[in-house]
Amino acid sequence: MKAKRTFGQAIALWEATRQTASDDDFAKLENAERVILAHRPTSFADAATMLEVVMEQRGDGRSDGLDLRAMERVVSLLRNTAADAPRPGKTNGSGIVLGASRA
């Protein structure tokens, strides 16, 4: 029985083989991409790696939809992190408020 690949292992394999993958490596690379794209990011580094995998596709969407679901998870991480961040207030009484508003 194959051991389940962890996110860290998948990143290492993907980074090592993505530029030089042979036909023999394709299944391993595809499996690593699945693990990366199915991951729920917990840091900006995780999110960046997931975006790299999606960008590597060069606009060719995956038929399994993992790329789109990965993007949804990255957006969720960014929104949640932004929501938890302290909001800057008004500056010098000029009336300028920093920070994005959600419309």
Side-chain angles (χ1 to χ4, degrees):
M1 180 177 182
K2 271 189 197 176
K4 188 172 182 179
R5 190 167 273 120
T6 67
F7 183 68
Q9 291 169 328
I11 292 171
L13 177 65
W14 184 79
E15 288 177 344
T17 60
R18 70 185 174 137
Q19 299 297 326
T20 59
S22 66
D23 288 342
D24 295 337
D25 294 329
F26 184 76
K28 289 185 219 171
L29 185 61
E30 176 70 15
N31 182 278
E33 286 182 0
R34 281 191 186 112
V35 170
I36 293 167
L37 294 176
H39 180 70
R40 183 166 304 281
T42 57
S43 68
F44 291 138
D46 287 3
T49 299
M50 293 170 75
L51 292 174
E52 283 180 307
V53 172
V54 171
M55 289 178 358
E56 190 79 18
Q57 303 298 318
R58 308 247 190 288
D60 293 335
R62 292 178 58 98
S63 62
D64 58 11
L66 278 175
D67 52 349
L68 297 177
R69 289 194 298 279
M71 296 295 289
E72 289 169 356
R73 286 189 290 277
V74 168
V75 167
S76 177
L77 169 75
L78 296 174
R79 285 198 191 283
N80 291 338
T81 302
D84 292 342
R87 298 251 180 207
K90 293 184 179 182
T91 63
N92 310 28
S94 66
I96 298 173
V97 178
L98 301 176
S101 65
R102 292 189 184 176

